[in-house]
Amino acid sequence: MGAHPKGDAQIKDNRITQKTLGQWIAQHPACLGSKVKDAFQGQLPFLFKVLSVNTALSIQAHPTKDLAARLHARFPEHYPDQNHKPEMAIALTPFQGLCGFRPLDQVLGFLEDVPEFLAVVGAEPAAELRSSVGDEVRSREALKKCFSSMMSCSKKVVVDELNELVKRTTGSSGASTASSLGPLLLRLHSQYPGDIGCFSIYFLNLMVLEPGQAMFLGANEPHAYLHGDCVECMACSDNTVRAGLTPKFIDVSTLVEMLNYHPAPASSKIFPGVPDPADPCVTLYDPPVPDFTVIKIQVPANRKQYSVAALDSASIILVVEGDAVATAAAAHSDITVRRGSVLFVSANESLSLQVSSPSGMTLFRACSLL
């Protein structure tokens, strides 16, 4: 949902002459709000998605604006625009992902306990990582060397070691494989047999988000979505540098150079939603980038009317649960909304909801709060 040239949202109201959101915004640039229009050159600055992840999505990272411009100039077929792509995922169901490098003691523990992981990383880089503990600069360099060594490992060695690890994991009792992420390894290997990304679970934090919890993925942060449903918001870009769990192009040299090698615990990667003191129905997910903010609106069962406040930014509103009739001054007529309905709301327009579902409503709103 958005106006990226590769996926411009279709307008479903046949009374509107423009067929896509991008065309409509081009004709009505004031709908963005004055600050957003000026800051983002008349473009809607975000994309909004719903993901239902059953097969893991690739391990990837997204470039800074500087790097995106350089990559686009050199490889436009792989990097289709010049923008950065920070993103945020908010769990709708229990949600599993990978995010950022684990604390060093965890990586070293896996190098000791999982001989196949050690084999693809290499004894020398692993020893260097072990001896760097306590020296922040050296340990970041050593972590980079270990990850780079694994990503450059020959395909044959990767496949052989993975097969060996899968055989050992399948043949051993559940208790001894749990600490080595056995069930996750087997699941990923069944989806992407022989893929180097299967070993990344020993480098990257395993995140398990409960509904309503979020993770923010800034530039150069390695991550993957493994399982579950989420809403996702991001800057308006399609630039992705992949690292595994994918049949697509993997740009190893760019990836290894760009990543953020700051080890940190999984708990530090959870991005908090903040309740709005002015509206008890609202939780704000406001990341440290200007391109987007996500607002969760939870209308309780005992409220039959709710007013979605006007903002100085265009918004996209997604209904996740509930039914209502929406009215707005700018709308041609009342709009019936239900689970899956998507509305574009211009800047400085409010929306009134007459809620008909007995259990209330859940909506997510993407906007840019400059």
Side-chain angles (χ1 to χ4, degrees):
M1 299 166 282
H4 192 279
K6 284 181 72 180
D8 200 358
Q10 304 291 306
I11 295 174
K12 293 296 185 189
D13 188 332
N14 55 18
R15 293 166 298 189
I16 295 193
T17 52
Q18 294 84 8
K19 294 299 168 220
T20 72
L21 183 58
Q23 290 166 4
W24 194 85
I25 290 170
Q27 293 290 311
H28 307 88
C31 76
L32 295 170
S34 55
K35 287 183 190 165
V36 174
K37 178 167 75 79
D38 293 347
F40 296 100
Q41 294 79 48
Q43 305 292 316
L44 186 71
F46 54 82
L47 294 172
F48 203 23
K49 296 182 180 181
V50 184
L51 299 177
S52 188
V53 183
N54 194 28
T55 300
L57 303 180
S58 61
I59 298 166
Q60 54 187 242
H62 305 295
T64 60
K65 274 193 174 172
D66 278 357
L67 179 57
R70 295 200 303 274
L71 291 172
H72 176 67
R74 287 179 62 201
F75 310 110
E77 70 281 16
H78 296 307
Y79 304 103
D81 56 71
Q82 298 184 41
N83 203 9
H84 67 165
K85 195 188 175 190
E87 54 192 21
M88 182 164 55
I90 305 169
L92 294 174
T93 63
F95 190 80
Q96 217 180 32
L98 301 173
C99 181
F101 282 96
R102 293 173 175 274
L104 287 189
D105 60 327
Q106 293 181 20
V107 178
L108 289 167
F110 287 127
L111 285 167
E112 208 156 292
D113 296 346
V114 185
E116 298 84 357
F117 177 46
L118 177 61
V120 296
V121 168
E124 189 196 326
E128 209 168 304
L129 185 66
R130 198 167 288 109
S131 70
S132 74
V133 173
D135 182 330
E136 204 177 311
V137 176
R138 263 190 69 215
S139 62
R140 283 210 297 270
E141 276 305 310
L143 189 58
K144 179 179 179 179
K145 193 169 178 179
C146 284
F147 188 74
S148 171
S149 177
M150 180 188 82
M151 290 303 298
S152 311
C153 187
S154 80
K155 181 70 178 171
K156 183 183 184 316
V157 172
V158 170
V159 170
D160 289 351
E161 295 296 338
L162 266 177
N163 286 340
E164 190 56 41
L165 179 54
V166 166
K167 195 167 85 184
R168 197 165 61 80
T169 304
T170 313
S172 64
S173 68
S176 62
T177 60
S179 61
S180 303
L181 305 176
L184 177 59
L185 174 87
L186 294 178
R187 191 171 88 224
L188 294 180
H189 190 263
S190 73
Q191 294 171 5
Y192 298 98
D195 190 299
I196 188 66
C198 296
F199 280 117
S200 293
I201 62 176
Y202 301 119
F203 272 120
L204 305 179
N205 284 303
L206 176 60
M207 308 289 294
V208 181
L209 302 181
E210 292 305 318
Q213 286 189 313
M215 55 183 180
F216 172 68
L217 308 155
N220 306 330
E221 187 82 283
H223 63 277
Y225 298 155
L226 302 180
H227 195 266
D229 298 352
C230 72
V231 292
E232 186 186 37
C233 197
M234 65 200 69
C236 188
S237 170
D238 193 31
N239 285 324
T240 297
V241 186
R242 292 179 183 83
L245 302 182
T246 178
K248 295 181 182 175
F249 171 70
I250 294 184
D251 185 348
V252 173
S253 57
T254 299
L255 179 88
V256 165
E257 282 310 310
M258 73 185 272
L259 287 186
N260 162 12
Y261 293 96
H262 288 264
S267 57
S268 70
K269 302 296 180 184
I270 292 178
F271 189 83
V274 178
D276 182 346
D279 183 345
C281 298
V282 164
T283 305
L284 203 64
Y285 300 86
D286 192 18
V289 293
D291 310 67
F292 64 88
T293 294
V294 178
I295 297 167
K296 181 184 181 184
I297 302 171
Q298 187 93 52
V299 184
N302 60 0
R303 292 250 328 237
K304 292 304 166 199
Q305 272 195 307
Y306 181 80
S307 180
V308 178
L311 295 172
D312 189 24
S313 163
S315 309
I316 292 176
I317 293 179
L318 165 72
V319 181
V320 171
E321 270 180 282
D323 304 272
V325 173
T327 52
H332 294 295
S333 59
D334 291 357
I335 304 162
T336 301
V337 296
R338 58 181 65 85
R339 178 179 170 85
S341 297
V342 182
L343 302 174
F344 178 81
V345 181
S346 293
N348 307 306
E349 289 284 350
S350 62
L351 193 66
S352 182
L353 297 175
Q354 188 75 36
V355 181
S356 55
S357 45
S359 55
M361 285 193 90
T362 305
L363 310 101
F364 284 88
R365 179 184 197 178
C367 55
S368 172
L369 298 180
L370 295 177

